[in-house]
Amino acid sequence: MSESIQLVPVSITVNGKLYQQEIEPRLLLVEFIRETIGLTGTHIGCDTSYCGACTIIVDGDPVKSCTLLAVQVDGSEVLTVEGLEQDGELHPLQQAFSQNHGLQCGYCTPGMLMSSLALLAENPDPDIKDIRKRLAGNVCRCTGYQNIIKSVQAAAKNLRED
Ligand code: FES
Ligand code: FES
């Protein structure tokens, strides 16, 4: 006998837009973002909570969105990589990654950008150690990390000088 799954209502603001949906209680936040509301910039790179490709910001804090259920962020403000660009202008972090070759295949990039954004919000002038420490939860299989660090430092400098 098949049991029907009880849907639950959630209200989640993503990139400034309110989404009110009925979802399965077991739906992961990353699935809500990618499949329910169709923002596929947030990537899934593992099934072990290891890679960080799914990193987003929830109420100001970086989180791996594969480690949370969507119902756990009911009422929250979420920022994904799509929310970085403003009025057609790339965010200084996106510009810096582009200018400093901070990406190759780009698979890790959304997570790298969101973790870096959280770092710069806390520390506008991070040194290499600070950047390495914050990005330790984000895996890149292409770049060797040097240009990612260079990109974050360049963005930090540009933001400080703004
Ligand atoms: S998909 Fe790898 S940590 Fe979330
Ligand atoms: S740029 Fe390819 S995984 Fe980081």
Side-chain angles (χ1 to χ4, degrees):
M1 198 170 68
S2 69
E3 278 179 40
S4 64
I5 296 166
Q6 188 93 36
L7 299 181
V8 291
V10 291
S11 300
I12 304 172
T13 302
V14 183
N15 304 332
K17 180 172 171 193
L18 179 65
Y19 293 88
Q20 293 179 303
Q21 305 277 340
E22 302 248 311
I23 59 168
E24 289 188 21
R26 66 182 176 183
L27 187 72
L28 291 174
L29 179 55
V30 70
E31 294 169 337
F32 174 83
I33 290 167
R34 289 179 53 84
E35 289 158 31
T36 307
I37 65 172
L39 295 178
T40 53
T42 300
H43 291 163
I44 300 173
C46 69
D47 55 11
T48 54
S49 313
Y50 176 70
C51 75
C54 64
T55 305
I56 58 169
I57 308 288
V58 176
D59 294 331
D61 293 322
V63 299
K64 291 182 175 178
S65 57
C66 71
T67 65
L68 287 177
L69 298 171
V71 291
Q72 290 177 281
V73 305
D74 186 22
S76 293
E77 298 262 354
V78 168
L79 184 70
T80 71
V81 70
E82 288 90 347
L84 288 181
E85 183 186 313
Q86 295 294 322
D87 303 323
E89 279 256 322
L90 291 179
H91 186 278
L93 267 167
Q94 292 171 305
Q95 291 177 19
F97 270 66
S98 168
Q99 288 160 0
N100 293 278
H101 308 288
L103 64 150
Q104 288 179 29
C105 80
Y107 203 85
C108 69
T109 311
M112 290 289 180
L113 288 168
M114 302 317 279
S115 291
S116 302
L117 185 75
L119 168 65
L120 297 187
E122 283 165 26
N123 178 359
D125 190 11
D127 62 22
I128 291 177
K129 224 169 94 198
D130 299 327
I131 298 170
R132 281 193 182 279
K133 194 168 163 200
R134 173 50 67 99
L135 296 184
N138 294 77
V139 174
C140 177
R141 303 191 78 160
C142 305
T143 63
Y145 301 97
Q146 295 301 340
N147 286 344
I148 291 176
I149 291 166
K150 227 167 99 185
S151 303
V152 177
Q153 287 187 306
K157 187 166 178 281
N158 288 342
L159 283 163
R160 285 197 309 276
E161 288 170 358
D162 251 1

